[in-house]
Structure formats: C-alpha cells, structure tokens
C-alpha cells in the first residue's frame, strides 16, 4: 500500500514562512509528477504548485507565484513546498499528490484528476 504523508504545517504570522514536506511510505512506486493542492473552508480544492520530474518543470498558481517554491526528489517520491510571505488567504489544508500514470505530467498538472495518490493533508493557519 502506498501512502503520502504531509508535515510542516502549523500556525504562522502573516509575512512568515513555512516549509511543507511530503514523503511516500509503503510500497515503492514511480511517479511522473507530484503536486500540492489546498482547500480553505467553504472553498473548492485548488492547485498550488506542481513538479514534472521529466525535465524538472515546475508550475504555480498565479496566487502563489513568486512566493512559493516546489522542489523534490524523484527517486524518493518526496516533494517540498517552501512558502514565503504568507498571508491570511493562504490559510488552508494543504494536500500533496502523486501521479503514477503520467496523466498529470502529460495533460493537466494543475488538475486534481491527474493524480491518483493523495495525502491526508496538513493545516496551515496564517494569522494577521
């Protein structure tokens, strides 16, 4: 069984930084892409950032571009999200996801349907 586990979330003041981590456990697998999504209360889950291992391409939502940086280790199916200049609008549960079929990598890295493995999420609360 494959599991993704997020860590690094918690409370932070506006303007501060957090670094989220997502590590795979259980059965070994190969992913084509991994990404981060978030969901705030009363809102739909939205794409935050993604990384396509082939070529090392990264993708960001406009709302976080220039503030967040995604990185990872393909061999370990591990991904990180460095979040700087946080504001209250960034408050949400952050989920990491992995694409082991090449769907997100080839078609829509920003679309949740391209990912087949998901973590349980980690809460990020940015206070003003």
């Amino acid at each position: 069984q494959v599991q993704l586990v997020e860590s690094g979330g918690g409370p932070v003041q506006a303007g501060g930084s957090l670094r989220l981590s997502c590590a795979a456990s259980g059965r070994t697998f190969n992913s084509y892409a991994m990404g981060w999504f978030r969901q705030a209360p009363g809102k739909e889950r939205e794409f935050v950032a993604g990384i396509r291992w082939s070529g090392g391409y990264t993708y960001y939502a406009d709302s976080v571009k220039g503030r967040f940086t995604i990185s990872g280790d393909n061999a370990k199916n591990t991904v990180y999200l460095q979040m700087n200049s946080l504001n209250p609008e960034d408050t949400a549960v952050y989920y990491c996801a992995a694409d082991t079929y090449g769907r997100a990598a080839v078609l829509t890295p920003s679309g949740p349907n391209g990912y087949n493995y998901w973590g349980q999420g980690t809460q990020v609360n940015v206070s003003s």
Side-chain angles (χ1 to χ4, degrees):
Q1 186 176 17
V2 175
Q3 291 182 309
L4 298 179
V5 182
E6 303 97 336
S7 62
V12 64
Q13 296 183 34
S17 299
L18 284 176
R19 185 171 187 258
L20 305 183
S21 299
C22 176
S25 64
R27 182 178 61 84
T28 301
F29 69 97
N30 297 314
S31 65
Y32 292 88
M34 294 187 71
W36 288 95
F37 292 77
R38 67 186 183 186
Q39 186 167 23
K43 296 185 178 180
E44 295 184 354
R45 180 176 52 184
E46 65 174 348
F47 171 77
V48 176
I51 182 167
R52 181 181 295 172
W53 299 124
S54 180
Y57 296 106
T58 57
Y59 308 85
Y60 298 93
D62 290 339
S63 60
V64 307
K65 191 174 298 182
R67 299 188 298 122
F68 292 8
T69 302
I70 187 172
S71 62
D73 185 336
N74 182 30
K76 296 183 178 181
N77 288 301
T78 301
V79 67
Y80 306 95
L81 185 67
Q82 178 66 47
M83 306 187 295
N84 298 325
S85 300
L86 287 164
N87 58 63
E89 287 68 40
D90 296 315
T91 295
V93 176
Y94 284 71
Y95 301 90
C96 70
D99 163 29
T100 66
Y101 293 103
R103 299 170 184 173
V106 174
L107 299 176
T108 56
S110 62
N113 293 335
Y115 301 88
N116 54 294
Y117 289 140
W118 294 83
Q120 297 183 50
T122 184
Q123 177 72 50
V124 172
N125 186 27
V126 185
S127 61
S128 59

